[in-house]
Amino acid sequence: GAINVDGALLFNVFDGTVAATQLKLADPFGRAPHLSGNLAMRELDLDLLTRTFSFGNMQGRIDVDVNNLELQCWQPARFDARLSSSAGNYPRKISQKAVQNISALGGAGAAAAIQRSYLRFFENFGYDRIGWSCKLRNGVCAMGGVDNGNGGAYAIVKGGGIPAITVMGYNRSVSWSELITRLKRVTQG
């Protein structure tokens, strides 16, 4: 009735690594399969990742941790996810299309502000750090960013270089189904 994986499953993807640990699968062929575990992704190449989807271009490297992952009937029921810039010295650029798509994940507003400002004349921007988090509980994703702010807005992309842009998130709580709808919309172009 249950499968437990001792050790880790390792994958090489997007010029980085993914380690899946503490994997447990209960009732795999039953009516309500339940999978739990942790994922640690390191040094994923944003250029390769963003070229795979219709998202806009980003250059840099990211680390992603998904802890306390629980899938029920193959749907996410709970997790603590954190995405952040990898340590190191590498090019950090983000295209205007990627900025607009990241902004669309948090709701309307920022993309329209770019189009009305002088920033519309630039195709790419520099950034210093990227950070985003989601704690999924009861179908709601509690989100944060690079610094988590003070309960209000939070930075998802913190600007650096010339020209630089900072992308802010304003929605702290988003339903999981709405977030998935937004992700599909921006990745399908």
Side-chain angles (χ1 to χ4, degrees):
I3 299 169
N4 293 320
V5 177
D6 292 331
L9 296 175
L10 298 172
F11 306 93
N12 292 321
V13 295
F14 300 113
D15 198 33
T17 61
V18 176
T21 59
Q22 298 179 351
L23 292 176
K24 296 177 186 174
L25 178 58
D27 200 19
F29 304 109
R31 298 180 123 202
H34 183 268
L35 175 70
S36 63
N38 298 317
L39 298 171
M41 302 173 221
R42 297 292 174 262
E43 300 276 330
L44 301 182
D45 186 329
L46 278 172
D47 187 40
L48 293 173
L49 183 64
T50 56
R51 276 194 279 152
T52 302
F53 302 98
S54 176
F55 186 79
N57 183 260
M58 296 176 74
Q59 294 177 10
R61 297 224 172 235
I62 58 168
D63 296 334
V64 181
D65 290 303
V66 182
N67 294 312
N68 306 311
L69 174 64
E70 291 184 23
L71 301 180
Q72 295 176 349
C73 296
W74 308 114
Q75 298 298 315
R78 173 189 173 104
F79 61 75
D80 299 319
R82 178 93 183 125
L83 177 148
S84 60
S85 298
S86 302
N89 189 13
Y90 47 83
R92 298 170 193 240
K93 297 281 182 194
I94 183 170
S95 71
Q96 189 166 144
K97 182 178 179 185
V99 169
Q100 291 170 344
N101 286 329
I102 291 170
S103 299
L105 294 176
I114 290 170
Q115 294 304 322
R116 290 189 306 265
S117 75
Y118 72 92
L119 295 175
R120 70 180 179 272
F121 298 113
F122 295 99
E123 181 59 32
N124 293 296
F125 304 97
Y127 71 88
D128 180 49
R129 290 185 298 154
I130 296 174
W132 178 78
S133 66
C134 169
K135 290 185 181 205
L136 180 65
R137 304 288 188 277
N138 301 317
V140 176
C141 181
M143 298 196 298
V146 172
D147 56 9
N148 280 331
N150 293 325
Y154 54 93
I156 299 170
V157 178
K158 186 173 183 199
I162 299 174
I165 192 163
T166 296
V167 179
M168 302 298 292
Y170 296 96
N171 296 337
R172 287 283 180 174
S173 296
V174 176
S175 83
W176 179 249
S177 61
E178 175 62 23
L179 187 60
I180 293 301
T181 299
R182 291 177 187 179
L183 276 170
K184 286 179 181 175
R185 188 170 43 241
V186 300
T187 57
Q188 294 173 353

